Coordinates of all heavy atoms in Angstrom, one line a residue:
M82 N 188.1 -11.2 69.5 CA 187.4 -11.8 70.6 C 186.1 -12.3 70.2 O 185.6 -13.4 70.6 CB 187.3 -10.9 71.7 CG 186.8 -11.6 73.0 SD 187.8 -13.1 73.5 CE 189.2 -12.2 74.3
A83 N 185.3 -11.6 69.3 CA 184.0 -11.9 68.9 C 184.1 -13.3 68.1 O 183.3 -14.2 68.2 CB 183.4 -10.9 68.0
E84 N 185.2 -13.4 67.3 CA 185.4 -14.7 66.5 C 185.7 -15.8 67.4 O 185.2 -16.9 67.2 CB 186.6 -14.4 65.5 CG 186.1 -13.8 64.2 CD 184.9 -14.4 63.5 OE1 185.0 -15.5 63.3 OE2 183.9 -13.6 63.3
F85 N 186.6 -15.6 68.4 CA 186.9 -16.6 69.4 C 185.6 -17.1 70.1 O 185.4 -18.3 70.3 CB 187.8 -15.9 70.4 CG 188.3 -16.8 71.5 CD1 189.3 -17.7 71.4 CD2 187.7 -16.6 72.8 CE1 189.7 -18.5 72.4 CE2 188.2 -17.4 73.9 CZ 189.2 -18.4 73.7
V86 N 184.8 -16.2 70.5 CA 183.6 -16.5 71.3 C 182.6 -17.3 70.3 O 182.1 -18.3 70.7 CB 182.8 -15.3 71.9 CG1 181.4 -15.6 72.3 CG2 183.7 -14.6 72.9
R87 N 182.4 -16.8 69.1 CA 181.6 -17.5 68.1 C 182.0 -18.9 67.8 O 181.2 -19.8 67.8 CB 181.5 -16.7 66.8 CG 180.5 -15.6 66.7 CD 180.2 -15.2 65.2 NE 179.7 -13.8 65.3 CZ 180.4 -12.7 65.1 NH1 181.7 -12.8 65.0 NH2 179.7 -11.6 65.2
S88 N 183.3 -19.1 67.6 CA 183.7 -20.4 67.1 C 183.6 -21.4 68.3 O 183.2 -22.5 68.1 CB 185.2 -20.3 66.6 OG 186.1 -19.8 67.6
L89 N 184.0 -21.0 69.5 CA 183.9 -22.0 70.6 C 182.5 -22.2 71.0 O 182.1 -23.4 71.3 CB 184.7 -21.4 71.8 CG 186.2 -21.6 71.7 CD1 187.0 -20.8 72.6 CD2 186.5 -23.1 71.8
A90 N 181.6 -21.2 71.0 CA 180.2 -21.5 71.3 C 179.6 -22.4 70.2 O 178.8 -23.4 70.7 CB 179.4 -20.1 71.3
G91 N 179.9 -22.3 69.0 CA 179.5 -23.2 68.0 C 180.0 -24.6 68.1 O 179.3 -25.6 68.1
E92 N 181.3 -24.8 68.5 CA 181.9 -26.1 68.6 C 181.3 -26.8 69.7 O 181.1 -28.1 69.7 CB 183.5 -25.9 69.0 CG 184.3 -26.0 67.9 CD 185.8 -25.8 68.2 OE1 186.2 -26.3 69.2 OE2 186.5 -25.1 67.4
H93 N 181.0 -26.1 70.8 CA 180.4 -26.8 72.0 C 178.9 -26.8 72.0 O 178.3 -27.2 73.0 CB 181.0 -26.2 73.3 CG 182.5 -26.5 73.5 ND1 183.0 -27.6 74.1 CD2 183.6 -25.8 73.0 CE1 184.2 -27.5 74.0 NE2 184.7 -26.4 73.4
E94 N 178.3 -26.3 70.9 CA 176.8 -26.4 70.8 C 176.2 -25.7 72.1 O 175.2 -26.3 72.6 CB 176.3 -27.8 70.6 CG 176.9 -28.5 69.3 CD 176.6 -30.0 69.2 OE1 175.5 -30.4 69.7 OE2 177.4 -30.7 68.6
A95 N 176.7 -24.6 72.3 CA 176.2 -24.0 73.6 C 174.8 -23.6 73.5 O 174.3 -23.0 72.6 CB 177.0 -22.8 73.9
S96 N 173.9 -23.7 74.6 CA 172.6 -23.3 74.7 C 172.5 -21.9 75.0 O 171.5 -21.3 74.8 CB 171.9 -24.2 75.8 OG 172.6 -24.0 77.0
E97 N 173.6 -21.4 75.7 CA 173.5 -20.0 76.2 C 175.0 -19.5 76.2 O 175.9 -20.3 76.6 CB 172.9 -19.9 77.6 CG 172.5 -18.6 78.1 CD 171.9 -18.6 79.5 OE1 172.0 -19.7 80.2 OE2 171.3 -17.6 79.8
V98 N 175.3 -18.3 76.0 CA 176.6 -17.7 76.0 C 176.7 -16.7 77.1 O 176.0 -15.7 77.1 CB 177.0 -17.1 74.7 CG1 178.5 -16.6 74.7 CG2 176.9 -18.1 73.5
I99 N 177.5 -17.0 78.1 CA 177.6 -16.1 79.3 C 179.0 -15.6 79.5 O 180.0 -16.3 79.1 CB 177.2 -16.9 80.5 CG1 175.8 -17.5 80.4 CG2 177.3 -16.1 81.9 CD1 175.4 -18.5 81.4
G100 N 179.2 -14.4 79.9 CA 180.5 -13.9 80.1 C 180.6 -13.2 81.5 O 179.7 -12.7 82.0
L101 N 181.9 -13.2 81.9 CA 182.2 -12.4 83.2 C 183.6 -11.9 83.0 O 184.5 -12.6 82.6 CB 182.2 -13.4 84.4 CG 182.6 -12.8 85.7 CD1 181.8 -13.5 86.8 CD2 184.1 -13.1 86.0
G102 N 183.8 -10.6 83.3 CA 185.1 -10.0 83.2 C 185.3 -9.0 84.3 O 184.3 -8.4 84.7
Y103 N 186.5 -8.7 84.7 CA 186.9 -7.8 85.7 C 187.9 -6.8 85.1 O 188.9 -7.1 84.4 CB 187.6 -8.6 86.8 CG 188.3 -7.7 87.8 CD1 187.6 -6.7 88.5 CD2 189.7 -7.7 88.0 CE1 188.3 -5.8 89.4 CE2 190.3 -6.9 88.9 CZ 189.6 -6.0 89.6 OH 190.2 -5.1 90.5
S104 N 187.6 -5.5 85.3 CA 188.5 -4.4 84.9 C 188.8 -4.5 83.4 O 187.8 -4.4 82.5 CB 189.8 -4.5 85.7 OG 190.6 -3.3 85.6
N105 N 189.9 -4.7 82.9 CA 190.2 -4.7 81.5 C 189.4 -5.8 80.8 O 189.0 -5.7 79.6 CB 191.7 -4.9 81.2 CG 192.1 -4.9 79.7 OD1 192.6 -6.0 79.2 ND2 191.8 -3.9 78.9
G106 N 189.3 -7.0 81.5 CA 188.5 -8.1 81.0 C 186.9 -7.7 80.9 O 186.2 -8.2 80.0
A107 N 186.5 -6.9 81.8 CA 185.1 -6.4 81.7 C 185.0 -5.5 80.5 O 183.9 -5.4 79.8 CB 184.7 -5.6 82.9
N108 N 186.1 -4.7 80.1 CA 185.9 -3.7 79.1 C 185.9 -4.4 77.8 O 185.2 -4.1 76.8 CB 187.1 -2.8 79.2 CG 187.1 -2.0 80.5 OD1 186.1 -1.8 81.1 ND2 188.3 -1.6 80.8
I109 N 186.7 -5.5 77.5 CA 186.6 -6.2 76.3 C 185.3 -6.9 76.2 O 184.7 -7.0 75.1 CB 187.8 -7.2 76.0 CG1 187.8 -7.7 74.6 CG2 187.8 -8.3 77.0 CD1 188.1 -6.7 73.5
L110 N 184.8 -7.5 77.2 CA 183.5 -8.2 77.3 C 182.4 -7.2 76.9 O 181.5 -7.5 76.1 CB 183.3 -8.8 78.6 CG 181.8 -9.4 78.9 CD1 181.4 -10.3 77.8 CD2 181.8 -10.0 80.3
A111 N 182.4 -6.0 77.5 CA 181.4 -5.0 77.2 C 181.4 -4.6 75.8 O 180.4 -4.4 75.1 CB 181.6 -3.7 78.2
N112 N 182.6 -4.4 75.2 CA 182.7 -3.9 73.8 C 182.2 -5.0 72.9 O 181.6 -4.7 71.9 CB 184.1 -3.4 73.5 CG 184.0 -2.2 72.6 OD1 183.3 -1.2 72.8 ND2 184.7 -2.2 71.5
V113 N 182.7 -6.3 73.1 CA 182.1 -7.3 72.3 C 180.5 -7.3 72.4 O 179.9 -7.5 71.2 CB 182.7 -8.6 72.7 CG1 182.0 -9.9 71.9 CG2 184.2 -8.8 72.4
L114 N 180.0 -7.2 73.5 CA 178.6 -7.1 73.6 C 178.0 -6.0 72.9 O 176.9 -6.2 72.2 CB 178.2 -7.1 75.2 CG 176.7 -7.0 75.6 CD1 176.1 -8.4 75.2 CD2 176.6 -6.9 77.1
I115 N 178.5 -4.8 73.1 CA 178.0 -3.6 72.4 C 178.0 -3.7 70.9 O 177.1 -3.4 70.2 CB 178.9 -2.4 72.9 CG1 178.6 -2.1 74.4 CG2 178.7 -1.2 71.9 CD1 179.6 -1.2 75.0
E116 N 179.2 -4.3 70.4 CA 179.3 -4.3 68.9 C 178.7 -5.5 68.3 O 178.1 -5.4 67.2 CB 180.8 -4.4 68.5 CG 181.6 -3.1 69.0 CD 181.2 -1.9 68.0 OE1 180.8 -2.2 66.9 OE2 181.4 -0.8 68.4
N117 N 178.6 -6.6 69.0 CA 178.2 -7.9 68.3 C 177.1 -8.6 69.1 O 176.7 -9.7 68.5 CB 179.5 -8.8 68.3 CG 180.6 -8.3 67.6 OD1 180.6 -8.4 66.3 ND2 181.5 -7.7 68.2
G118 N 176.7 -8.2 70.2 CA 175.7 -9.0 71.0 C 176.4 -10.2 71.5 O 177.2 -10.1 72.4
L119 N 176.1 -11.4 70.9 CA 176.8 -12.6 71.2 C 176.5 -13.2 72.6 O 176.1 -14.4 72.8 CB 178.3 -12.6 71.1 CG 178.9 -12.5 69.7 CD1 180.4 -12.5 69.7 CD2 178.4 -13.6 68.8
F120 N 176.6 -12.4 73.7 CA 176.4 -12.8 75.0 C 175.0 -12.7 75.5 O 174.4 -11.7 75.3 CB 177.3 -12.1 76.0 CG 178.8 -12.5 75.8 CD1 179.5 -11.7 75.0 CD2 179.3 -13.5 76.5 CE1 180.9 -12.0 74.8 CE2 180.7 -13.8 76.3 CZ 181.5 -13.1 75.5
D121 N 174.4 -13.8 76.0 CA 173.1 -13.7 76.5 C 173.0 -13.0 77.9 O 172.0 -12.3 78.3 CB 172.4 -15.1 76.6 CG 172.4 -15.8 75.3 OD1 171.6 -15.4 74.4 OD2 173.2 -16.8 75.1
K122 N 174.0 -13.3 78.7 CA 174.2 -12.8 80.0 C 175.7 -12.3 80.2 O 176.6 -13.0 79.7 CB 174.0 -13.8 81.1 CG 172.6 -14.1 81.5 CD 172.6 -15.1 82.6 CE 171.1 -15.4 83.2 NZ 171.2 -16.5 84.2
A123 N 175.9 -11.1 80.8 CA 177.2 -10.6 81.0 C 177.3 -10.0 82.4 O 176.5 -9.2 82.7 CB 177.5 -9.6 79.8
V124 N 178.4 -10.3 83.0 CA 178.8 -9.7 84.3 C 180.0 -8.9 84.1 O 181.1 -9.4 83.7 CB 179.1 -10.8 85.3 CG1 179.7 -10.2 86.6 CG2 178.0 -11.7 85.7
L125 N 179.9 -7.5 84.2 CA 180.9 -6.6 84.1 C 181.4 -6.1 85.4 O 180.7 -5.3 86.0 CB 180.4 -5.4 83.2 CG 179.8 -5.8 81.8 CD1 179.1 -4.6 81.1 CD2 180.7 -6.5 80.9
M126 N 182.5 -6.5 85.9 CA 183.0 -6.1 87.2 C 184.0 -4.9 87.0 O 185.0 -5.1 86.4 CB 183.8 -7.3 87.8 CG 182.8 -8.5 88.0 SD 183.9 -10.0 88.4 CE 184.3 -9.7 90.1
H127 N 183.6 -3.7 87.5 CA 184.4 -2.6 87.5 C 184.8 -2.3 86.0 O 186.0 -2.1 85.7 CB 185.7 -2.7 88.4 CG 185.4 -3.0 89.8 ND1 185.4 -2.0 90.7 CD2 184.9 -4.2 90.4 CE1 185.0 -2.5 91.9 NE2 184.8 -3.8 91.7
P128 N 183.8 -2.1 85.2 CA 184.1 -1.7 83.7 C 184.3 -0.3 83.6 O 183.9 0.5 84.4 CB 182.8 -2.2 83.0 CG 181.8 -1.9 84.0 CD 182.4 -2.2 85.4
L129 N 185.0 0.1 82.5 CA 185.3 1.5 82.2 C 185.2 1.6 80.6 O 186.0 1.1 79.9 CB 186.6 2.1 82.6 CG 186.9 3.4 82.1 CD1 185.9 4.5 82.8 CD2 188.4 3.9 82.4
I130 N 184.0 2.2 80.2 CA 183.8 2.5 78.8 C 183.8 4.0 78.7 O 182.8 4.7 78.9 CB 182.5 1.9 78.2 CG1 182.6 0.3 78.4 CG2 182.3 2.2 76.8 CD1 183.7 -0.4 77.5
P131 N 184.9 4.6 78.4 CA 185.0 6.1 78.5 C 184.6 6.8 77.2 O 185.1 7.9 76.8 CB 186.6 6.3 78.7 CG 187.2 5.2 77.9 CD 186.3 4.0 78.0
F132 N 183.6 6.2 76.5 CA 183.0 6.9 75.4 C 181.5 6.4 75.3 O 181.2 5.5 76.0 CB 183.7 6.4 74.1 CG 183.9 4.9 73.9 CD1 182.9 4.2 73.3 CD2 185.0 4.2 74.4 CE1 183.0 2.8 73.2 CE2 185.1 2.9 74.3 CZ 184.2 2.1 73.6
R133 N 180.7 7.1 74.5 CA 179.3 6.7 74.4 C 179.2 5.8 73.2 O 179.4 6.0 72.1 CB 178.5 8.0 74.0 CG 177.1 7.7 73.6 CD 176.2 7.1 74.8 NE 174.8 7.1 74.5 CZ 174.0 6.2 73.8 NH1 174.7 5.3 73.1 NH2 172.7 6.3 73.7

Side-chain angles (χ1 to χ4, degrees):
M82 187 60 76
E84 282 306 307
F85 179 78
V86 169
R87 268 195 204 98
S88 60
L89 281 162
E92 263 178 43
H93 292 272
E94 300 172 30
S96 58
E97 192 177 19
V98 181
I99 302 169
L101 175 147
Y103 167 62
S104 192
N105 180 243
N108 300 335
I109 190 66
L110 170 55
N112 213 52
V113 170
L114 182 61
I115 288 161
E116 293 290 333
N117 299 277
L119 289 182
F120 291 92
D121 301 294
K122 279 183 175 176
V124 176
L125 306 173
M126 304 167 72
H127 301 260
L129 175 65
I130 299 294
F132 53 88
R133 171 63 167 81

